[in-house]
Amino acid sequence: MIFIKRLLVILILFISIVLIAAYFMPKEYSVEREITINKPADSIFKYVRSLKNQNEFSVWANMDPKMKVHYKGADGAVGSISSWESNVKEVGVGEEEITKITENRRLEFALRFKKPMEDNAVGFMSTEPISDNQTKVRWGISGVIPYPTNIMLPMLKMDQLIGNDLQKGLENLKDIME
């Protein structure tokens, strides 16, 4: 009986320490990558603003050739939505909606994931001319992991987890554009 009581006390202390630690840990993540492409900024921006074109260079869209994709609204305009359904766990079910466009400079979007877990994030793609025929392209995603699951944030290594896919997607974009 004493053993069970001690075990319960230890378990309660452990859970308390984890919950207290989670309270003080960061809840937000932000991942960004960039690449230089030898093409004018306006031609790159025109290409990346299309949700249909994004599926050509996105690592996630290419993980499942059987993925079902549906589009709503005028592609490349604020309010247009791309939704996807996949049985591949890394792709899952979700949608992307264009929320803001700064012409030839920045595209902002909302990401709503439904499966394998529900989550929301925001993202952007931006183009910055370096010269007449060279452009710096940035792609970023940020979000919030709610308490107490934010305790996992340091172990998830979001910068590496998402960042590697963003970088590969930008490399795919460079191959397509050049």
Side-chain angles (χ1 to χ4, degrees):
M1 189 67 159
I2 293 175
F3 174 76
I4 293 174
K5 285 182 182 181
R6 286 183 182 169
L7 187 62
L8 281 174
V9 168
I10 291 170
L11 184 62
I12 290 169
L13 282 172
F14 177 75
I15 291 171
S16 298
I17 290 169
V18 168
L19 291 174
I20 290 168
Y23 183 78
F24 291 103
M25 295 195 76
K27 294 169 187 67
E28 298 177 1
Y29 66 89
S30 184
V31 181
E32 185 178 316
R33 294 292 186 269
E34 67 179 50
I35 198 166
T36 300
I37 299 177
N38 296 317
K39 271 293 206 214
D42 59 340
S43 66
I44 296 171
F45 189 82
K46 183 178 178 182
Y47 185 82
V48 300
R49 78 184 285 166
S50 166
L51 295 175
K52 291 177 184 174
N53 288 345
Q54 287 183 20
N55 284 336
E56 298 298 316
F57 61 87
S58 166
V59 170
W60 301 291
N62 290 301
M63 283 182 182
D64 182 7
K66 296 178 184 176
M67 178 177 71
K68 295 176 189 168
V69 182
H70 304 282
Y71 300 97
K72 288 189 257 179
D75 191 21
V78 171
S80 63
I81 297 173
S82 169
S83 58
W84 65 88
E85 294 178 44
S86 171
N87 291 325
V88 174
K89 186 180 120 185
E90 292 82 8
V91 180
V93 177
E95 64 183 19
E96 173 184 0
E97 178 180 1
I98 296 176
T99 57
K100 184 177 179 183
I101 297 173
T102 305
E103 201 59 45
N104 289 326
R105 298 294 289 180
R106 188 174 171 99
L107 174 74
E108 296 180 18
F109 48 89
L111 294 164
R112 295 180 283 269
F113 304 103
K114 299 173 182 175
K115 288 183 184 176
M117 63 181 185
E118 286 201 25
D119 191 21
N120 293 316
V122 294
F124 75 91
M125 290 195 83
S126 68
T127 55
E128 179 184 334
I130 297 172
S131 67
D132 288 343
N133 201 36
Q134 212 173 37
T135 305
K136 184 185 297 182
V137 180
R138 286 192 177 101
W139 192 0
I141 295 176
S142 58
V144 175
I145 303 212
Y147 173 84
T149 55
N150 65 309
I151 191 78
M152 300 291 291
L153 195 56
M155 292 170 268
L156 289 175
K157 299 180 182 175
M158 297 298 268
D159 190 67
Q160 185 179 349
L161 185 70
I162 295 173
N164 291 343
D165 290 343
L166 292 179
Q167 190 63 46
K168 179 63 177 150
L170 287 170
E171 290 166 8
N172 292 344
L173 176 63
K174 181 178 176 85
D175 290 344
I176 291 168
M177 297 306 296
E178 291 182 355

mmCIF file with all atom_site columns, all heavy atoms in Angstrom, residues 8-27:
data_model
loop_
_atom_site.group_PDB
_atom_site.id
_atom_site.type_symbol
_atom_site.label_atom_id
_atom_site.label_alt_id
_atom_site.label_comp_id
_atom_site.label_asym_id
_atom_site.label_entity_id
_atom_site.label_seq_id
_atom_site.pdbx_PDB_ins_code
_atom_site.Cartn_x
_atom_site.Cartn_y
_atom_site.Cartn_z
_atom_site.occupancy
_atom_site.B_iso_or_equiv
_atom_site.pdbx_formal_charge
_atom_site.auth_seq_id
_atom_site.auth_comp_id
_atom_site.auth_asym_id
_atom_site.auth_atom_id
_atom_site.pdbx_PDB_model_num
ATOM 1   N N   . LEU A 1 8  ? 1.887  7.148  -6.605  1.00 0.00 ? 8  LEU A N   1
ATOM 2   C CA  . LEU A 1 8  ? 0.906  8.189  -6.933  1.00 0.00 ? 8  LEU A CA  1
ATOM 3   C C   . LEU A 1 8  ? 1.471  9.585  -6.671  1.00 0.00 ? 8  LEU A C   1
ATOM 4   O O   . LEU A 1 8  ? 1.285  10.499 -7.472  1.00 0.00 ? 8  LEU A O   1
ATOM 5   C CB  . LEU A 1 8  ? -0.385 7.980  -6.151  1.00 0.00 ? 8  LEU A CB  1
ATOM 6   C CG  . LEU A 1 8  ? -1.324 6.916  -6.680  1.00 0.00 ? 8  LEU A CG  1
ATOM 7   C CD1 . LEU A 1 8  ? -2.491 6.696  -5.738  1.00 0.00 ? 8  LEU A CD1 1
ATOM 8   C CD2 . LEU A 1 8  ? -1.816 7.265  -8.066  1.00 0.00 ? 8  LEU A CD2 1
ATOM 9   N N   . VAL A 1 9  ? 2.173  9.770  -5.569  1.00 0.00 ? 9  VAL A N   1
ATOM 10  C CA  . VAL A 1 9  ? 2.782  11.066 -5.250  1.00 0.00 ? 9  VAL A CA  1
ATOM 11  C C   . VAL A 1 9  ? 3.812  11.429 -6.312  1.00 0.00 ? 9  VAL A C   1
ATOM 12  O O   . VAL A 1 9  ? 3.854  12.568 -6.801  1.00 0.00 ? 9  VAL A O   1
ATOM 13  C CB  . VAL A 1 9  ? 3.392  11.052 -3.829  1.00 0.00 ? 9  VAL A CB  1
ATOM 14  C CG1 . VAL A 1 9  ? 4.277  12.267 -3.596  1.00 0.00 ? 9  VAL A CG1 1
ATOM 15  C CG2 . VAL A 1 9  ? 2.297  10.976 -2.784  1.00 0.00 ? 9  VAL A CG2 1
ATOM 16  N N   . ILE A 1 10 ? 4.638  10.478 -6.676  1.00 0.00 ? 10 ILE A N   1
ATOM 17  C CA  . ILE A 1 10 ? 5.654  10.724 -7.710  1.00 0.00 ? 10 ILE A CA  1
ATOM 18  C C   . ILE A 1 10 ? 4.987  11.075 -9.041  1.00 0.00 ? 10 ILE A C   1
ATOM 19  O O   . ILE A 1 10 ? 5.399  12.008 -9.731  1.00 0.00 ? 10 ILE A O   1
ATOM 20  C CB  . ILE A 1 10 ? 6.599  9.508  -7.849  1.00 0.00 ? 10 ILE A CB  1
ATOM 21  C CG1 . ILE A 1 10 ? 7.468  9.391  -6.598  1.00 0.00 ? 10 ILE A CG1 1
ATOM 22  C CG2 . ILE A 1 10 ? 7.456  9.610  -9.104  1.00 0.00 ? 10 ILE A CG2 1
ATOM 23  C CD1 . ILE A 1 10 ? 8.274  8.110  -6.513  1.00 0.00 ? 10 ILE A CD1 1
ATOM 24  N N   . LEU A 1 11 ? 3.947  10.361 -9.387  1.00 0.00 ? 11 LEU A N   1
ATOM 25  C CA  . LEU A 1 11 ? 3.223  10.620 -10.630 1.00 0.00 ? 11 LEU A CA  1
ATOM 26  C C   . LEU A 1 11 ? 2.592  12.010 -10.621 1.00 0.00 ? 11 LEU A C   1
ATOM 27  O O   . LEU A 1 11 ? 2.698  12.761 -11.598 1.00 0.00 ? 11 LEU A O   1
ATOM 28  C CB  . LEU A 1 11 ? 2.158  9.544  -10.845 1.00 0.00 ? 11 LEU A CB  1
ATOM 29  C CG  . LEU A 1 11 ? 1.382  9.619  -12.147 1.00 0.00 ? 11 LEU A CG  1
ATOM 30  C CD1 . LEU A 1 11 ? 2.317  9.440  -13.332 1.00 0.00 ? 11 LEU A CD1 1
ATOM 31  C CD2 . LEU A 1 11 ? 0.297  8.553  -12.183 1.00 0.00 ? 11 LEU A CD2 1
ATOM 32  N N   . ILE A 1 12 ? 1.972  12.389 -9.523  1.00 0.00 ? 12 ILE A N   1
ATOM 33  C CA  . ILE A 1 12 ? 1.361  13.715 -9.399  1.00 0.00 ? 12 ILE A CA  1
ATOM 34  C C   . ILE A 1 12 ? 2.429  14.804 -9.477  1.00 0.00 ? 12 ILE A C   1
ATOM 35  O O   . ILE A 1 12 ? 2.245  15.828 -10.146 1.00 0.00 ? 12 ILE A O   1
ATOM 36  C CB  . ILE A 1 12 ? 0.531  13.824 -8.095  1.00 0.00 ? 12 ILE A CB  1
ATOM 37  C CG1 . ILE A 1 12 ? -0.722 12.944 -8.223  1.00 0.00 ? 12 ILE A CG1 1
ATOM 38  C CG2 . ILE A 1 12 ? 0.158  15.268 -7.799  1.00 0.00 ? 12 ILE A CG2 1
ATOM 39  C CD1 . ILE A 1 12 ? -1.490 12.757 -6.930  1.00 0.00 ? 12 ILE A CD1 1
ATOM 40  N N   . LEU A 1 13 ? 3.556  14.602 -8.814  1.00 0.00 ? 13 LEU A N   1
ATOM 41  C CA  . LEU A 1 13 ? 4.657  15.574 -8.886  1.00 0.00 ? 13 LEU A CA  1
ATOM 42  C C   . LEU A 1 13 ? 5.186  15.713 -10.315 1.00 0.00 ? 13 LEU A C   1
ATOM 43  O O   . LEU A 1 13 ? 5.418  16.819 -10.793 1.00 0.00 ? 13 LEU A O   1
ATOM 44  C CB  . LEU A 1 13 ? 5.791  15.170 -7.947  1.00 0.00 ? 13 LEU A CB  1
ATOM 45  C CG  . LEU A 1 13 ? 5.587  15.469 -6.474  1.00 0.00 ? 13 LEU A CG  1
ATOM 46  C CD1 . LEU A 1 13 ? 6.704  14.840 -5.642  1.00 0.00 ? 13 LEU A CD1 1
ATOM 47  C CD2 . LEU A 1 13 ? 5.530  16.970 -6.252  1.00 0.00 ? 13 LEU A CD2 1
ATOM 48  N N   . PHE A 1 14 ? 5.344  14.606 -10.988 1.00 0.00 ? 14 PHE A N   1
ATOM 49  C CA  . PHE A 1 14 ? 5.836  14.622 -12.366 1.00 0.00 ? 14 PHE A CA  1
ATOM 50  C C   . PHE A 1 14 ? 4.874  15.390 -13.277 1.00 0.00 ? 14 PHE A C   1
ATOM 51  O O   . PHE A 1 14 ? 5.294  16.264 -14.046 1.00 0.00 ? 14 PHE A O   1
ATOM 52  C CB  . PHE A 1 14 ? 6.041  13.191 -12.880 1.00 0.00 ? 14 PHE A CB  1
ATOM 53  C CG  . PHE A 1 14 ? 6.470  13.138 -14.310 1.00 0.00 ? 14 PHE A CG  1
ATOM 54  C CD1 . PHE A 1 14 ? 7.765  13.454 -14.679 1.00 0.00 ? 14 PHE A CD1 1
ATOM 55  C CD2 . PHE A 1 14 ? 5.561  12.788 -15.304 1.00 0.00 ? 14 PHE A CD2 1
ATOM 56  C CE1 . PHE A 1 14 ? 8.163  13.421 -16.011 1.00 0.00 ? 14 PHE A CE1 1
ATOM 57  C CE2 . PHE A 1 14 ? 5.944  12.752 -16.642 1.00 0.00 ? 14 PHE A CE2 1
ATOM 58  C CZ  . PHE A 1 14 ? 7.254  13.063 -16.992 1.00 0.00 ? 14 PHE A CZ  1
ATOM 59  N N   . ILE A 1 15 ? 3.592  15.080 -13.178 1.00 0.00 ? 15 ILE A N   1
ATOM 60  C CA  . ILE A 1 15 ? 2.592  15.771 -14.002 1.00 0.00 ? 15 ILE A CA  1
ATOM 61  C C   . ILE A 1 15 ? 2.574  17.261 -13.671 1.00 0.00 ? 15 ILE A C   1
ATOM 62  O O   . ILE A 1 15 ? 2.505  18.106 -14.566 1.00 0.00 ? 15 ILE A O   1
ATOM 63  C CB  . ILE A 1 15 ? 1.197  15.123 -13.824 1.00 0.00 ? 15 ILE A CB  1
ATOM 64  C CG1 . ILE A 1 15 ? 1.200  13.723 -14.452 1.00 0.00 ? 15 ILE A CG1 1
ATOM 65  C CG2 . ILE A 1 15 ? 0.107  15.983 -14.450 1.00 0.00 ? 15 ILE A CG2 1
ATOM 66  C CD1 . ILE A 1 15 ? -0.033 12.897 -14.164 1.00 0.00 ? 15 ILE A CD1 1
ATOM 67  N N   . SER A 1 16 ? 2.672  17.608 -12.412 1.00 0.00 ? 16 SER A N   1
ATOM 68  C CA  . SER A 1 16 ? 2.691  19.017 -11.995 1.00 0.00 ? 16 SER A CA  1
ATOM 69  C C   . SER A 1 16 ? 3.892  19.744 -12.575 1.00 0.00 ? 16 SER A C   1
ATOM 70  O O   . SER A 1 16 ? 3.772  20.862 -13.067 1.00 0.00 ? 16 SER A O   1
ATOM 71  C CB  . SER A 1 16 ? 2.713  19.126 -10.471 1.00 0.00 ? 16 SER A CB  1
ATOM 72  O OG  . SER A 1 16 ? 1.560  18.558 -9.921  1.00 0.00 ? 16 SER A OG  1
ATOM 73  N N   . ILE A 1 17 ? 5.052  19.126 -12.518 1.00 0.00 ? 17 ILE A N   1
ATOM 74  C CA  . ILE A 1 17 ? 6.269  19.742 -13.062 1.00 0.00 ? 17 ILE A CA  1
ATOM 75  C C   . ILE A 1 17 ? 6.133  19.952 -14.571 1.00 0.00 ? 17 ILE A C   1
ATOM 76  O O   . ILE A 1 17 ? 6.475  21.016 -15.094 1.00 0.00 ? 17 ILE A O   1
ATOM 77  C CB  . ILE A 1 17 ? 7.512  18.894 -12.712 1.00 0.00 ? 17 ILE A CB  1
ATOM 78  C CG1 . ILE A 1 17 ? 7.796  18.982 -11.220 1.00 0.00 ? 17 ILE A CG1 1
ATOM 79  C CG2 . ILE A 1 17 ? 8.725  19.330 -13.535 1.00 0.00 ? 17 ILE A CG2 1
ATOM 80  C CD1 . ILE A 1 17 ? 8.825  17.986 -10.719 1.00 0.00 ? 17 ILE A CD1 1
ATOM 81  N N   . VAL A 1 18 ? 5.599  18.968 -15.268 1.00 0.00 ? 18 VAL A N   1
ATOM 82  C CA  . VAL A 1 18 ? 5.409  19.091 -16.721 1.00 0.00 ? 18 VAL A CA  1
ATOM 83  C C   . VAL A 1 18 ? 4.446  20.230 -17.041 1.00 0.00 ? 18 VAL A C   1
ATOM 84  O O   . VAL A 1 18 ? 4.704  21.057 -17.920 1.00 0.00 ? 18 VAL A O   1
ATOM 85  C CB  . VAL A 1 18 ? 4.913  17.754 -17.332 1.00 0.00 ? 18 VAL A CB  1
ATOM 86  C CG1 . VAL A 1 18 ? 4.441  17.942 -18.756 1.00 0.00 ? 18 VAL A CG1 1
ATOM 87  C CG2 . VAL A 1 18 ? 6.020  16.705 -17.265 1.00 0.00 ? 18 VAL A CG2 1
ATOM 88  N N   . LEU A 1 19 ? 3.335  20.307 -16.322 1.00 0.00 ? 19 LEU A N   1
ATOM 89  C CA  . LEU A 1 19 ? 2.351  21.367 -16.574 1.00 0.00 ? 19 LEU A CA  1
ATOM 90  C C   . LEU A 1 19 ? 2.908  22.752 -16.248 1.00 0.00 ? 19 LEU A C   1
ATOM 91  O O   . LEU A 1 19 ? 2.655  23.714 -16.975 1.00 0.00 ? 19 LEU A O   1
ATOM 92  C CB  . LEU A 1 19 ? 1.065  21.097 -15.793 1.00 0.00 ? 19 LEU A CB  1
ATOM 93  C CG  . LEU A 1 19 ? 0.237  19.901 -16.274 1.00 0.00 ? 19 LEU A CG  1
ATOM 94  C CD1 . LEU A 1 19 ? -0.936 19.649 -15.335 1.00 0.00 ? 19 LEU A CD1 1
ATOM 95  C CD2 . LEU A 1 19 ? -0.232 20.093 -17.702 1.00 0.00 ? 19 LEU A CD2 1
ATOM 96  N N   . ILE A 1 20 ? 3.669  22.856 -15.176 1.00 0.00 ? 20 ILE A N   1
ATOM 97  C CA  . ILE A 1 20 ? 4.278  24.143 -14.823 1.00 0.00 ? 20 ILE A CA  1
ATOM 98  C C   . ILE A 1 20 ? 5.319  24.529 -15.878 1.00 0.00 ? 20 ILE A C   1
ATOM 99  O O   . ILE A 1 20 ? 5.363  25.679 -16.319 1.00 0.00 ? 20 ILE A O   1
ATOM 100 C CB  . ILE A 1 20 ? 4.898  24.088 -13.407 1.00 0.00 ? 20 ILE A CB  1
ATOM 101 C CG1 . ILE A 1 20 ? 3.780  24.007 -12.363 1.00 0.00 ? 20 ILE A CG1 1
ATOM 102 C CG2 . ILE A 1 20 ? 5.796  25.296 -13.152 1.00 0.00 ? 20 ILE A CG2 1
ATOM 103 C CD1 . ILE A 1 20 ? 4.260  23.662 -10.959 1.00 0.00 ? 20 ILE A CD1 1
ATOM 104 N N   . ALA A 1 21 ? 6.131  23.593 -16.293 1.00 0.00 ? 21 ALA A N   1
ATOM 105 C CA  . ALA A 1 21 ? 7.129  23.874 -17.337 1.00 0.00 ? 21 ALA A CA  1
ATOM 106 C C   . ALA A 1 21 ? 6.448  24.313 -18.632 1.00 0.00 ? 21 ALA A C   1
ATOM 107 O O   . ALA A 1 21 ? 6.885  25.266 -19.287 1.00 0.00 ? 21 ALA A O   1
ATOM 108 C CB  . ALA A 1 21 ? 8.004  22.648 -17.568 1.00 0.00 ? 21 ALA A CB  1
ATOM 109 N N   . ALA A 1 22 ? 5.365  23.643 -19.015 1.00 0.00 ? 22 ALA A N   1
ATOM 110 C CA  . ALA A 1 22 ? 4.647  23.987 -20.249 1.00 0.00 ? 22 ALA A CA  1
ATOM 111 C C   . ALA A 1 22 ? 4.089  25.402 -20.176 1.00 0.00 ? 22 ALA A C   1
ATOM 112 O O   . ALA A 1 22 ? 4.049  26.118 -21.189 1.00 0.00 ? 22 ALA A O   1
ATOM 113 C CB  . ALA A 1 22 ? 3.526  22.983 -20.506 1.00 0.00 ? 22 ALA A CB  1
ATOM 114 N N   . TYR A 1 23 ? 3.683  25.833 -18.998 1.00 0.00 ? 23 TYR A N   1
ATOM 115 C CA  . TYR A 1 23 ? 3.137  27.169 -18.834 1.00 0.00 ? 23 TYR A CA  1
ATOM 116 C C   . TYR A 1 23 ? 4.164  28.245 -19.205 1.00 0.00 ? 23 TYR A C   1
ATOM 117 O O   . TYR A 1 23 ? 3.816  29.288 -19.757 1.00 0.00 ? 23 TYR A O   1
ATOM 118 C CB  . TYR A 1 23 ? 2.664  27.366 -17.390 1.00 0.00 ? 23 TYR A CB  1
ATOM 119 C CG  . TYR A 1 23 ? 2.017  28.699 -17.150 1.00 0.00 ? 23 TYR A CG  1
ATOM 120 C CD1 . TYR A 1 23 ? 0.710  28.936 -17.552 1.00 0.00 ? 23 TYR A CD1 1
ATOM 121 C CD2 . TYR A 1 23 ? 2.716  29.737 -16.542 1.00 0.00 ? 23 TYR A CD2 1
ATOM 122 C CE1 . TYR A 1 23 ? 0.118  30.164 -17.357 1.00 0.00 ? 23 TYR A CE1 1
ATOM 123 C CE2 . TYR A 1 23 ? 2.132  30.976 -16.328 1.00 0.00 ? 23 TYR A CE2 1
ATOM 124 C CZ  . TYR A 1 23 ? 0.828  31.184 -16.745 1.00 0.00 ? 23 TYR A CZ  1
ATOM 125 O OH  . TYR A 1 23 ? 0.242  32.403 -16.545 1.00 0.00 ? 23 TYR A OH  1
ATOM 126 N N   . PHE A 1 24 ? 5.423  27.998 -18.930 1.00 0.00 ? 24 PHE A N   1
ATOM 127 C CA  . PHE A 1 24 ? 6.468  28.983 -19.174 1.00 0.00 ? 24 PHE A CA  1
ATOM 128 C C   . PHE A 1 24 ? 7.175  28.800 -20.523 1.00 0.00 ? 24 PHE A C   1
ATOM 129 O O   . PHE A 1 24 ? 8.004  29.629 -20.891 1.00 0.00 ? 24 PHE A O   1
ATOM 130 C CB  . PHE A 1 24 ? 7.503  28.951 -18.035 1.00 0.00 ? 24 PHE A CB  1
ATOM 131 C CG  . PHE A 1 24 ? 6.937  29.453 -16.744 1.00 0.00 ? 24 PHE A CG  1
ATOM 132 C CD1 . PHE A 1 24 ? 6.565  28.569 -15.738 1.00 0.00 ? 24 PHE A CD1 1
ATOM 133 C CD2 . PHE A 1 24 ? 6.749  30.803 -16.541 1.00 0.00 ? 24 PHE A CD2 1
ATOM 134 C CE1 . PHE A 1 24 ? 6.031  29.025 -14.544 1.00 0.00 ? 24 PHE A CE1 1
ATOM 135 C CE2 . PHE A 1 24 ? 6.209  31.276 -15.355 1.00 0.00 ? 24 PHE A CE2 1
ATOM 136 C CZ  . PHE A 1 24 ? 5.850  30.386 -14.353 1.00 0.00 ? 24 PHE A CZ  1
ATOM 137 N N   . MET A 1 25 ? 6.866  27.750 -21.235 1.00 0.00 ? 25 MET A N   1
ATOM 138 C CA  . MET A 1 25 ? 7.533  27.487 -22.521 1.00 0.00 ? 25 MET A CA  1
ATOM 139 C C   . MET A 1 25 ? 6.863  28.272 -23.637 1.00 0.00 ? 25 MET A C   1
ATOM 140 O O   . MET A 1 25 ? 5.685  28.617 -23.548 1.00 0.00 ? 25 MET A O   1
ATOM 141 C CB  . MET A 1 25 ? 7.503  25.998 -22.831 1.00 0.00 ? 25 MET A CB  1
ATOM 142 C CG  . MET A 1 25 ? 8.311  25.208 -21.827 1.00 0.00 ? 25 MET A CG  1
ATOM 143 S SD  . MET A 1 25 ? 8.648  23.569 -22.381 1.00 0.00 ? 25 MET A SD  1
ATOM 144 C CE  . MET A 1 25 ? 9.917  23.892 -23.554 1.00 0.00 ? 25 MET A CE  1
ATOM 145 N N   . PRO A 1 26 ? 7.601  28.538 -24.728 1.00 0.00 ? 26 PRO A N   1
ATOM 146 C CA  . PRO A 1 26 ? 6.997  29.246 -25.859 1.00 0.00 ? 26 PRO A CA  1
ATOM 147 C C   . PRO A 1 26 ? 5.863  28.429 -26.474 1.00 0.00 ? 26 PRO A C   1
ATOM 148 O O   . PRO A 1 26 ? 5.894  27.203 -26.469 1.00 0.00 ? 26 PRO A O   1
ATOM 149 C CB  . PRO A 1 26 ? 8.150  29.415 -26.852 1.00 0.00 ? 26 PRO A CB  1
ATOM 150 C CG  . PRO A 1 26 ? 9.242  28.543 -26.375 1.00 0.00 ? 26 PRO A CG  1
ATOM 151 C CD  . PRO A 1 26 ? 8.982  28.187 -24.960 1.00 0.00 ? 26 PRO A CD  1
ATOM 152 N N   . LYS A 1 27 ? 4.896  29.143 -27.002 1.00 0.00 ? 27 LYS A N   1
ATOM 153 C CA  . LYS A 1 27 ? 3.755  28.505 -27.644 1.00 0.00 ? 27 LYS A CA  1
ATOM 154 C C   . LYS A 1 27 ? 3.768  28.755 -29.153 1.00 0.00 ? 27 LYS A C   1
ATOM 155 O O   . LYS A 1 27 ? 3.054  28.100 -29.900 1.00 0.00 ? 27 LYS A O   1
ATOM 156 C CB  . LYS A 1 27 ? 2.454  29.012 -27.034 1.00 0.00 ? 27 LYS A CB  1
ATOM 157 C CG  . LYS A 1 27 ? 2.290  28.609 -25.572 1.00 0.00 ? 27 LYS A CG  1
ATOM 158 C CD  . LYS A 1 27 ? 1.133  29.322 -24.908 1.00 0.00 ? 27 LYS A CD  1
ATOM 159 C CE  . LYS A 1 27 ? 1.071  29.046 -23.428 1.00 0.00 ? 27 LYS A CE  1
ATOM 160 N NZ  . LYS A 1 27 ? 2.161  29.576 -22.653 1.00 0.00 ? 27 LYS A NZ  1
#
